[in-house]
Amino acid sequence: MSDQPAMRPLRVAVLGCGVVGSAVVRLLTETSADLAARVGRPLELVGVGVRRAGRNRTASGIDEALFTTDSHDLVTRADLVVEVIGGIEPARSLILRAMEHGASVVTANKALLAEDGPTLYAAAAQHGVDLYYEAAVAGAIPLLRPLRESLAGDSVRRVLGIVNGTTNYVLDKMDSSGAGFSEAVEQAQALGYAEADPTADVEGFDAAAKAAILASLAFHTRVRGSDVHREGITEVSATDVQSAKDMDCVVKLLAICERTTDASGLEGVSVRVHPALIPRSHPLAGVREAFNAVFVEADAAGQLMFYGRGAGGDPTASAVLGDLVAVARHRVLGGRGPGESTYADLPILPMGDCVTRYHISLDVADRPGVLAQVASAFAEHDVSIETVRQQLRPASAPGGEHGAVLVIVTHRAPDAALSATVAALSELPVVREVASVLRVEGM
Ligand code: HSE
């Protein structure tokens, strides 16, 4: 009876055997009996696609016979393909080939989804297969399925969160130890939280790709990574972090996706990633080390918060295996999961229309009339000042001559007005330097 079609194992191929891939293979093997019971059929690992042959992979504990460098062939021999290679190519070609051959795909590839998600969705629809990618955003945290399915009857207004563990670790270290940016990155690298080349994380590319995926699902609108306003954390200094502390705030790299209207009343979507001050009493301020957390606000549900590990082998593998079980169940029971939903097709609003608040530090001359000139620059751009703090800067400080540091926090204003104000301030002869500009959220 072993040839009974209903009991034929579902063939699984895993592409990539790095930290996540090896955890997927190990858990798939260790929990195979439970997975089979949940799916209703065994899952049989038929191969692990790797880039280079001959590496010593005995430590992975994976049967050597399963490794292949011919992933193009491997994907034609599977019912379900897990892609954890990352990057655009060869991941895209392999996913498309797998779908052409009738395989459903589970991927953790945020960069590819943010750049070319519609192509993958179209191929999945054409070939009648599933495309699942819970692990692409915030690792272990169930977030995409709630947006795609649980909240399908509601209207999401806002998604706000910390979706990059590396930068959260760096900013948390700067806050707790007073370290500068470079020192905190070195600590993160020593502990394995940051890559040797941390650019994708610290410049906000990783978070921007995740924000694009979240916004697409939340607002039923295509949002690509290039639609996201992106600023990283490389300019955040120990002085900024101390200044935030003085206001009882912390600096966090936030992904903010909003359904909003511009000045003319046009409804659209605003998606941005940038460092921001948030009050220490805000729940996101308590997200320490490399953890992730995301708030979702929906019209009927109100506020929801999701928290957990956003990276790492086992946490990410948990999300991958959850998707694998879901797509495997569809094979057993028939049907498919949800495809792309872009019916709302809202315009992407420019950053200049986004209404936000700024925290600005200015190094100024300390003489009569300086504050008035600075205040005029704000007034001329219709930006209202909420608070001003002044600290004396002794002549011994860099810059020589005795001066002052002005720290100004504004009320909410369009980002275009705020950035025009900063440009005007930097032209004022009494302003020696616009030392830092950070947005303020959650107050
Ligand atoms: N590098 C990411 C982070 C994990 O630091 O959160 C993978 O998306």
Side-chain angles (χ1 to χ4, degrees):
M1 297 296 281
S2 58
D3 282 330
Q4 203 179 20
M7 288 310 290
R8 179 178 71 75
L10 291 167
R11 300 162 301 167
V12 179
V14 176
L15 306 178
C17 195
V19 175
V20 176
S22 54
V24 168
V25 171
R26 181 173 47 76
L27 291 174
L28 189 58
T29 311
E30 285 174 5
T31 63
S32 62
D34 284 321
L35 295 178
R38 292 171 197 171
V39 168
R41 259 204 238 174
L43 300 179
E44 180 195 355
L45 181 64
V46 293
V48 180
V50 291
R51 202 155 29 128
R52 279 191 295 274
R55 277 200 173 179
N56 183 357
R57 299 182 192 273
T58 38
S60 70
I62 302 168
D63 179 355
E64 283 287 328
L66 288 170
F67 289 112
T68 174
T69 52
D70 192 351
S71 293
H72 278 77
D73 170 66
L74 176 61
V75 298
T76 66
R77 295 188 278 115
D79 302 298
L80 313 170
V81 170
V82 172
E83 185 276 305
V84 283
I85 306 170
I88 306 301
E89 285 295 350
R92 174 169 45 201
S93 305
L94 290 169
I95 288 174
L96 294 174
R97 184 168 167 82
M99 289 175 170
E100 274 166 31
H101 283 82
S104 286
V105 172
V106 172
T107 175
N109 195 329
K110 68 220 130 204
L112 177 56
L113 287 158
E115 180 169 310
D116 209 9
T119 301
L120 305 187
Y121 268 123
Q126 184 189 348
H127 301 293
V129 298
D130 276 324
L131 172 66
Y132 271 51
Y133 47 90
E134 183 65 66
V137 181
I141 307 174
L143 181 58
L144 304 192
R145 189 120 9 112
L147 284 171
R148 235 176 162 190
E149 299 182 28
S150 318
L151 290 164
D154 207 333
S155 291
V156 176
R157 294 227 139 256
R158 194 162 188 246
V159 180
L160 164 77
I162 295 166
V163 293
N164 183 270
T166 305
T167 47
N168 201 55
Y169 182 88
V170 168
L171 292 171
D172 186 42
K173 273 290 152 251
M174 290 173 76
D175 181 67
S176 61
S177 71
F181 170 74
S182 303
E183 193 188 332
V185 169
E186 280 166 23
Q187 286 181 29
Q189 284 168 325
L191 290 167
Y193 288 125
E195 306 275 346
D197 175 2
T199 310
D201 293 314
V202 299
E203 295 288 4
F205 290 104
D206 175 84
K210 292 167 177 169
I213 294 169
L214 290 171
S216 301
L217 293 176
F219 308 129
H220 302 275
T221 289
R222 273 186 191 161
V223 181
R224 292 177 191 262
S226 53
D227 294 323
V228 180
H229 174 87
R230 177 191 53 80
E231 294 170 34
I233 64 163
T234 52
E235 302 294 318
V236 177
S237 66
T239 311
D240 292 331
V241 173
Q242 183 56 48
S243 182
K245 272 188 177 171
D246 295 342
M247 291 172 58
D248 212 19
C249 287
V250 290
V251 181
K252 294 288 189 189
L253 182 71
L254 297 182
I256 305 173
C257 317
E258 292 173 308
R259 184 156 50 88
T260 183
T261 47
D262 70 5
S264 72
L266 173 75
E267 187 177 37
V269 167
S270 152
V271 192
R272 51 199 167 105
V273 165
H274 54 70
L277 269 65
I278 56 171
R280 225 164 256 278
S281 57
H282 192 285
L284 288 179
V287 179
R288 306 285 311 271
E289 304 206 320
F291 279 84
N292 285 192
V294 178
F295 270 111
V296 177
E297 289 175 26
D299 287 351
Q303 288 192 333
L304 304 161
M305 186 168 175
F306 300 81
Y307 172 87
R309 292 188 189 278
D314 281 14
T316 309
S318 164
V320 168
L321 289 175
D323 279 354
L324 194 63
V325 168
V327 301
R329 282 176 175 155
H330 297 158
R331 283 297 159 108
V332 173
L333 300 172
R336 292 172 55 220
E340 187 181 30
S341 170
T342 57
Y343 74 90
D345 198 19
L346 294 168
I348 312 293
L349 301 179
M351 186 62 192
D353 285 345
C354 176
V355 176
T356 181
R357 297 171 62 205
Y358 273 16
H359 168 282
I360 302 165
S361 294
L362 302 174
D363 188 347
V364 296
D366 188 13
R367 30 175 214 269
V370 170
L371 197 52
Q373 288 185 50
V374 167
S376 294
F378 283 85
E380 278 161 19
H381 295 91
D382 210 16
V383 174
S384 174
I385 293 172
E386 184 188 282
T387 60
V388 181
R389 277 186 296 134
Q390 178 170 327
Q391 291 158 352
L392 285 184
R393 191 175 57 71
S396 56
E401 189 197 340
H402 162 85
V405 175
L406 283 178
V407 179
I408 297 164
V409 179
T410 72
H411 285 294
R412 283 162 62 81
D415 201 80
L418 287 160
S419 57
T421 306
V422 171
L425 288 169
S426 60
E427 294 297 314
L428 285 179
V430 294
V431 173
R432 290 178 183 152
E433 189 192 6
V434 179
S436 93
V437 178
L438 283 167
R439 294 186 182 81
V440 181
E441 298 288 336
M443 294 172 83

Short mmCIF file of all heavy atoms in Angstrom, two decimals, residues 174-200:
data_model
loop_
_atom_site.label_atom_id
_atom_site.label_comp_id
_atom_site.label_asym_id
_atom_site.label_seq_id
_atom_site.Cartn_x
_atom_site.Cartn_y
_atom_site.Cartn_z
N MET A 174 24.14 51.67 22.51
CA MET A 174 24.50 53.08 22.62
C MET A 174 23.74 53.71 23.79
O MET A 174 24.28 54.51 24.54
CB MET A 174 24.18 53.83 21.31
CG MET A 174 25.09 53.43 20.16
SD MET A 174 24.59 54.14 18.57
CE MET A 174 25.14 55.84 18.76
N ASP A 175 22.50 53.30 23.96
CA ASP A 175 21.67 53.87 25.03
C ASP A 175 22.13 53.38 26.40
O ASP A 175 22.24 54.16 27.34
CB ASP A 175 20.21 53.46 24.79
CG ASP A 175 19.27 54.03 25.85
OD1 ASP A 175 19.12 55.27 25.88
OD2 ASP A 175 18.72 53.25 26.64
N SER A 176 22.44 52.08 26.50
CA SER A 176 22.74 51.53 27.84
C SER A 176 24.17 51.78 28.27
O SER A 176 24.45 51.85 29.46
CB SER A 176 22.42 50.03 27.88
OG SER A 176 23.24 49.36 26.95
N SER A 177 25.09 51.93 27.30
CA SER A 177 26.50 52.05 27.71
C SER A 177 27.13 53.39 27.35
O SER A 177 28.26 53.66 27.73
CB SER A 177 27.32 50.94 27.04
OG SER A 177 27.42 51.20 25.65
N GLY A 178 26.42 54.20 26.58
CA GLY A 178 27.01 55.48 26.16
C GLY A 178 27.98 55.32 25.00
O GLY A 178 28.65 56.28 24.61
N ALA A 179 28.08 54.11 24.43
CA ALA A 179 29.02 53.86 23.34
C ALA A 179 28.65 54.67 22.10
O ALA A 179 27.48 55.02 21.90
CB ALA A 179 29.01 52.37 22.98
N GLY A 180 29.66 54.95 21.27
CA GLY A 180 29.40 55.59 19.99
C GLY A 180 28.94 54.53 18.98
O GLY A 180 29.00 53.32 19.26
N PHE A 181 28.54 55.00 17.80
CA PHE A 181 27.99 54.09 16.79
C PHE A 181 28.99 52.99 16.41
O PHE A 181 28.65 51.81 16.44
CB PHE A 181 27.57 54.92 15.56
CG PHE A 181 27.20 54.07 14.39
CD1 PHE A 181 26.00 53.38 14.35
CD2 PHE A 181 28.08 53.94 13.32
CE1 PHE A 181 25.68 52.58 13.27
CE2 PHE A 181 27.76 53.14 12.23
CZ PHE A 181 26.55 52.46 12.21
N SER A 182 30.23 53.39 16.08
CA SER A 182 31.20 52.39 15.58
C SER A 182 31.51 51.34 16.64
O SER A 182 31.58 50.14 16.34
CB SER A 182 32.51 53.07 15.16
OG SER A 182 32.22 54.03 14.20
N GLU A 183 31.67 51.82 17.89
CA GLU A 183 31.98 50.88 18.97
C GLU A 183 30.82 49.89 19.16
O GLU A 183 31.03 48.68 19.33
CB GLU A 183 32.17 51.70 20.26
CG GLU A 183 32.79 50.95 21.40
CD GLU A 183 32.75 51.79 22.68
OE1 GLU A 183 32.74 53.05 22.59
OE2 GLU A 183 32.68 51.18 23.74
N ALA A 184 29.59 50.39 19.09
CA ALA A 184 28.42 49.51 19.28
C ALA A 184 28.31 48.51 18.12
O ALA A 184 27.96 47.35 18.33
CB ALA A 184 27.15 50.34 19.39
N VAL A 185 28.64 48.95 16.90
CA VAL A 185 28.61 48.01 15.75
C VAL A 185 29.66 46.92 15.96
O VAL A 185 29.39 45.73 15.71
CB VAL A 185 28.84 48.75 14.42
CG1 VAL A 185 29.07 47.76 13.28
CG2 VAL A 185 27.65 49.65 14.08
N GLU A 186 30.84 47.31 16.43
CA GLU A 186 31.89 46.30 16.67
C GLU A 186 31.43 45.27 17.70
O GLU A 186 31.65 44.07 17.54
CB GLU A 186 33.18 46.97 17.14
CG GLU A 186 33.97 47.55 15.98
CD GLU A 186 35.07 48.50 16.44
OE1 GLU A 186 35.52 48.39 17.60
OE2 GLU A 186 35.45 49.36 15.63
N GLN A 187 30.76 45.74 18.75
CA GLN A 187 30.24 44.79 19.76
C GLN A 187 29.21 43.86 19.12
O GLN A 187 29.20 42.66 19.38
CB GLN A 187 29.57 45.55 20.90
CG GLN A 187 30.55 46.23 21.83
CD GLN A 187 29.83 46.96 22.97
OE1 GLN A 187 28.75 46.58 23.37
NE2 GLN A 187 30.43 48.03 23.44
N ALA A 188 28.33 44.43 18.28
CA ALA A 188 27.29 43.62 17.62
C ALA A 188 27.93 42.58 16.71
O ALA A 188 27.49 41.43 16.65
CB ALA A 188 26.35 44.52 16.83
N GLN A 189 29.02 42.97 16.04
CA GLN A 189 29.72 42.02 15.15
C GLN A 189 30.37 40.90 15.97
O GLN A 189 30.28 39.73 15.61
CB GLN A 189 30.77 42.74 14.32
CG GLN A 189 30.15 43.55 13.18
CD GLN A 189 31.12 44.49 12.52
OE1 GLN A 189 32.00 45.05 13.18
NE2 GLN A 189 30.95 44.70 11.22
N ALA A 190 30.98 41.28 17.10
CA ALA A 190 31.66 40.28 17.93
C ALA A 190 30.67 39.24 18.45
O ALA A 190 31.01 38.07 18.62
CB ALA A 190 32.36 40.97 19.10
N LEU A 191 29.42 39.66 18.67
CA LEU A 191 28.41 38.74 19.21
C LEU A 191 27.59 38.06 18.11
O LEU A 191 26.66 37.31 18.40
CB LEU A 191 27.47 39.50 20.15
CG LEU A 191 28.14 39.93 21.47
CD1 LEU A 191 27.27 40.92 22.21
CD2 LEU A 191 28.41 38.70 22.34
N GLY A 192 27.92 38.36 16.85
CA GLY A 192 27.21 37.70 15.74
C GLY A 192 25.88 38.35 15.40
O GLY A 192 25.11 37.81 14.60
N TYR A 193 25.58 39.52 15.98
CA TYR A 193 24.32 40.20 15.65
C TYR A 193 24.45 41.02 14.36
O TYR A 193 23.45 41.33 13.73
CB TYR A 193 23.88 41.14 16.78
CG TYR A 193 23.38 40.42 18.00
CD1 TYR A 193 23.93 40.67 19.25
CD2 TYR A 193 22.34 39.50 17.91
CE1 TYR A 193 23.47 40.01 20.38
CE2 TYR A 193 21.87 38.84 19.03
CZ TYR A 193 22.44 39.11 20.27
OH TYR A 193 21.98 38.45 21.37
N ALA A 194 25.69 41.42 14.03
CA ALA A 194 25.88 42.21 12.81
C ALA A 194 26.82 41.48 11.87
O ALA A 194 27.74 40.77 12.31
CB ALA A 194 26.47 43.58 13.16
N GLU A 195 26.57 41.63 10.58
CA GLU A 195 27.43 41.01 9.56
C GLU A 195 28.77 41.74 9.53
O GLU A 195 28.88 42.89 9.98
CB GLU A 195 26.79 41.21 8.17
CG GLU A 195 25.38 40.73 8.05
CD GLU A 195 25.29 39.25 7.73
OE1 GLU A 195 26.31 38.65 7.35
OE2 GLU A 195 24.19 38.69 7.89
N ALA A 196 29.79 41.08 8.91
CA ALA A 196 31.09 41.74 8.74
C ALA A 196 30.89 43.04 7.94
O ALA A 196 31.48 44.07 8.24
CB ALA A 196 32.04 40.81 8.00
N ASP A 197 30.03 43.00 6.92
CA ASP A 197 29.63 44.22 6.22
C ASP A 197 28.18 44.53 6.66
O ASP A 197 27.23 43.92 6.17
CB ASP A 197 29.68 44.03 4.70
CG ASP A 197 29.15 45.25 3.96
OD1 ASP A 197 28.79 46.25 4.63
OD2 ASP A 197 29.09 45.22 2.71
N PRO A 198 28.03 45.48 7.58
CA PRO A 198 26.69 45.70 8.16
C PRO A 198 25.81 46.66 7.36
O PRO A 198 24.76 47.07 7.83
CB PRO A 198 27.02 46.32 9.53
CG PRO A 198 28.29 47.07 9.28
CD PRO A 198 29.04 46.36 8.19
N THR A 199 26.24 47.00 6.12
CA THR A 199 25.55 48.05 5.36
C THR A 199 24.04 47.85 5.25
O THR A 199 23.26 48.76 5.48
CB THR A 199 26.15 48.15 3.93
OG1 THR A 199 27.56 48.23 4.05
CG2 THR A 199 25.63 49.36 3.19
N ALA A 200 23.63 46.63 4.88
CA ALA A 200 22.19 46.39 4.63
C ALA A 200 21.37 46.69 5.88
O ALA A 200 20.24 47.20 5.78
CB ALA A 200 21.96 44.95 4.19
#
